[in-house]
Amino acid sequence: MSEAEPAVSVWPARGRTEAVGLVLHGGAEHGIGSVPPWKLAYLRMVPIARALHRAGRKDGVEVRLLRNRRYGWNGPAEDPIDDARWALERIHADHPGLPVVLVGHSMGARVALRVADDPAVRGVCALAPWTPRGEPVEAVAGRSVLIVHGTRDRMTSPAESHAFAQRAEGVAARVARFEIAGEGHAMLRRSSVWTRLTIAFTLDLLAGNDGGALRGAWAAAGPERLRIPV
């Protein structure tokens, strides 16, 4: 594979594949450099992808981790959106008709929220998402959306992800948003909480689980559902 192409790591399901989780890493607003496999933004998502696979493989969930061609968003080119679309096309080719959940961190979460309009996508788990003011919500129409943000994040704005969640409520099938107290952007201080929420959301949609830790979140009243403390 040439350096100009994205790359995908695949953790297969045990037995027949029934669904796919696609994990998208973060980046920067600008950056045309490549993303080597030792890049921190990429490495940050490897444990989450592996944990999701361990939890879901017995239920037929395959997990894929995309590594972008370039490190930056690079608007107006929006390079990582093209990469995510490419990865979704690969999933369609390998597993036609199967449902997909997108899991993204930071810039990867923004990408996931943009490409959620793919017909296979059932929902988006957006971790510490980069959702600048005015970020469109139309792509999440009819999808389930889980947003998780640390209260001490200084790289992406918890206030802006809350505003995004409010706008998405009238469009998405359902929206919930967790606030992890004392946590920053890197998801290191309380890593198990991020992982637990990601797994609960993904397997709820893909493996037919009963909602687990999220059952109460979906049932909460509107304002409380967008500021669930952890």
Side-chain angles (χ1 to χ4, degrees):
M1 179 174 288
S2 74
E3 293 181 357
E5 294 179 329
V8 176
S9 295
V10 180
W11 289 267
R14 181 180 296 166
R16 179 178 175 180
T17 302
E18 302 289 350
V20 180
L22 176 61
V23 181
L24 309 175
H25 65 79
E29 185 172 359
H30 305 288
I32 59 172
S34 62
V35 183
W38 57 85
K39 192 78 169 178
L40 183 58
Y42 174 80
L43 286 176
R44 185 172 287 126
M45 301 309 289
V46 172
I48 288 179
R50 287 177 172 166
L52 181 57
H53 175 247
R54 286 194 299 271
R57 61 187 174 186
K58 66 182 183 301
D59 295 312
V61 177
E62 175 181 290
V63 177
R64 299 189 176 201
L65 174 57
L66 175 66
R67 181 157 53 88
N68 294 335
R69 294 167 299 144
R70 301 186 180 93
Y71 185 59
W73 177 263
N74 302 323
E78 299 176 347
D79 290 317
I81 290 182
D82 290 339
D83 294 344
R85 298 280 189 200
W86 173 88
L88 285 166
E89 287 302 318
R90 291 282 296 269
I91 293 172
H92 294 322
D94 294 341
H95 304 297
L98 293 190
V100 176
V101 164
L102 304 174
V103 177
H105 174 250
S106 191
M107 182 186 76
R110 185 181 187 184
V111 173
L113 293 164
R114 287 285 192 97
V115 303
D117 56 359
D118 184 278
V121 172
R122 287 195 177 174
V124 175
C125 181
L127 307 174
W130 175 29
T131 49
R133 185 176 301 178
E135 183 69 10
V137 298
E138 291 78 12
V140 300
R143 275 56 172 177
S144 294
V145 177
L146 178 69
I147 295 174
V148 187
H149 223 134
T151 59
R152 293 188 179 180
D153 196 327
R154 299 294 181 266
M155 295 293 293
T156 58
S157 169
E160 288 178 348
S161 78
H162 182 262
F164 180 91
Q166 288 180 309
R167 296 197 308 275
E169 272 202 302
V171 176
R174 56 182 182 174
V175 183
R177 181 177 171 277
F178 283 79
E179 295 182 335
I180 304 182
E183 180 64 288
H185 190 67
M187 306 188 296
L188 293 175
R189 184 172 177 269
R190 302 179 65 189
S191 59
S192 63
V193 178
W194 299 88
T195 302
R196 176 172 55 85
L197 291 172
T198 299
I199 290 172
F201 174 78
T202 304
L203 297 191
D204 181 19
L205 293 182
L206 294 185
N209 289 4
D210 63 1
L214 299 183
R215 191 185 305 112
W218 299 126
E224 290 80 13
R225 194 174 61 250
L226 301 187
R227 290 192 182 279
I228 302 170
V230 184

